[in-house]
Amino acid sequence: MNKKGPLYAMFFSLFLLLPGCGSLTVLNPKGPAAKTLSDTIILSILVMLGVLAVVYILYIIMLVKYRAKKSNEGYIPPHEEGNKWLEATWIAIPIIIVAFLSVVTVKTTNAVENVPADYKDQKPLVIYASSSNWKWHFSYPEEGIETVNYVNFPVNRPVEFRLYSFGPITSFWIPQLAGQKYAMSDMTTYLNLVAETQADFLGRNTNFSGKGYAQMEFTATSMSSDDYDKWVNDVKSTASPLTEDKFKALLETAHVGRETFSSTHLTFSPPPGEHSEHMDMEHSNMEMSNDEHTNHSN
């Protein structure tokens, strides 16, 4: 039996798998938060590859140098006492590696939990992202509009997603823009991101929440400020308002396509926690919208 066969097969498999790494969206970041996470992942992989390289090199050296052969048949090695320095070294090295990766991970987590440093002087666009079986609702309290299964926002502007759920726990993730964050029914979690490229990005639920979770995908589109303002105005002037009955029907429907509304569900179905500033803003937007409709009617 050829003992080298499994080794060749392993290397051949690696060559087949490596080209697929280029399609990993998490390693193709388009924003500062995703770039920070991508750099941390790559650094961790390099450290682990370094550890594996040292282990396999020593393994091969030991196999070759101390292999059984005719010249050492019957050889019995002498008794050797343990070396305290060697023992201390191979205990200290793992501790140093773990401590190093821990510090990097803590710094990365702190960085992505806040608005990116280069954008701290800008006011974030607040978007409430709520999940239901099996869809995503995006509410814009400042604009007074709402979308289902797609979300638009300006490029090069910080966006603060406020996440919660109308059903089981879900996980909100746009791989090229930020890490994932859980959305729960009894609390609101926060996710900050910035898109530095105008493009369409895939977003999805990554937490198993039932038979339809695999279809819980949405499109996140970053656009110029002018295009975003134009889109908001178009929604306000053409889309129908979101009524409480319509919203209840949406929650009860398992799968829907993209939908757009000129008002949000935040007034009659507020998110968990204290968000009164946006509830007041939403009431003001509705009153202005009603006045505009009244003026048009007259």
Side-chain angles (χ1 to χ4, degrees):
M1 181 179 177
N2 185 3
K3 295 182 179 180
K4 294 183 179 180
L7 186 62
Y8 291 147
M10 181 184 71
F11 281 110
F12 182 69
S13 300
L14 287 175
F15 280 115
L16 291 178
L17 291 172
L18 284 175
C21 293
S23 61
L24 292 175
T25 55
V26 72
L27 298 181
N28 184 25
K30 300 299 181 182
K35 180 69 165 57
T36 300
L37 293 172
S38 175
D39 290 344
T40 303
I41 292 172
I42 293 173
L43 176 62
S44 301
I45 292 174
L46 292 176
V47 171
M48 289 185 283
L49 288 176
V51 172
L52 286 176
V54 172
V55 170
Y56 282 118
I57 290 172
L58 292 176
Y59 176 68
I60 293 171
I61 291 174
M62 297 303 166
L63 286 179
V64 174
K65 186 175 181 180
Y66 299 104
R67 73 188 186 280
K69 50 188 177 181
K70 292 182 178 180
S71 61
N72 60 14
E73 287 183 359
Y75 171 75
I76 299 177
H79 176 72
E80 297 282 354
E81 294 292 337
N83 188 306
K84 294 181 179 179
W85 289 108
L86 282 177
E87 292 177 2
T89 299
W90 63 57
I91 291 175
I93 289 177
I95 294 175
I96 292 172
I97 293 173
V98 171
F100 170 72
L101 292 177
S102 298
V103 171
V104 171
T105 302
V106 170
K107 291 180 65 176
T108 297
T109 303
N110 182 66
V112 299
E113 284 293 318
N114 300 292
V115 176
D118 294 339
Y119 298 90
K120 286 188 179 294
D121 59 334
Q122 296 187 39
K123 179 184 177 182
L125 171 65
V126 175
I127 301 175
Y128 287 86
S130 54
S131 62
S132 64
N133 290 344
W134 285 276
K135 66 196 78 68
W136 289 96
H137 311 260
F138 297 97
S139 306
Y140 298 72
E142 297 175 22
E143 287 81 1
I145 62 176
E146 181 159 325
T147 61
V148 179
N149 290 333
Y150 80 99
V151 59
N152 296 339
F153 44 80
V155 70
N156 293 321
R157 179 181 173 182
V159 180
E160 181 185 280
F161 282 102
R162 300 187 177 185
L163 313 172
Y164 62 101
S165 173
F166 284 98
I169 295 175
T170 56
S171 183
F172 182 90
W173 192 29
I174 308 175
Q176 289 185 278
L177 297 181
Q180 58 183 339
K181 203 63 161 300
Y182 286 116
M184 294 167 276
S185 60
D186 60 345
M187 65 181 296
T188 302
T189 54
Y190 300 83
L191 179 69
N192 291 286
L193 61 81
V194 177
E196 296 182 326
T197 303
Q198 294 186 42
D200 292 333
F201 304 100
L202 174 66
R204 62 169 300 132
N205 168 30
T206 59
N207 186 62
F208 183 77
S209 56
K211 63 180 180 180
Y213 95 102
Q215 287 74 48
M216 281 189 68
E217 296 182 348
F218 62 90
T219 301
T221 302
S222 59
M223 53 183 62
S224 67
S225 297
D226 291 339
D227 288 341
Y228 175 76
D229 292 338
K230 182 177 182 300
W231 170 74
V232 170
N233 291 330
D234 288 342
V235 171
K236 289 181 176 180
S237 59
T238 61
S240 58
L242 179 60
T243 63
E244 188 169 0
D245 290 339
K246 174 62 177 177
F247 184 65
K248 289 180 179 178
L250 278 175
L251 294 181
E252 294 172 359
T253 306
H255 300 285
V256 300
R258 292 161 59 112
E259 300 204 25
T260 310
F261 302 97
S262 59
S263 62
T264 80
H265 70 265
L266 299 178
T267 51
F268 51 79
S269 182
E274 295 295 331
H275 301 277
S276 58
E277 75 281 6
H278 286 119
M279 301 307 100
D280 294 339
M281 187 177 297
E282 175 66 12
H283 279 295
S284 299
N285 287 329
M286 289 189 63
E287 290 176 359
M288 292 175 61
S289 178
N290 291 334
D291 291 340
E292 290 177 0
H293 285 299
T294 303
N295 292 333
H296 284 306
S297 300
N298 293 336

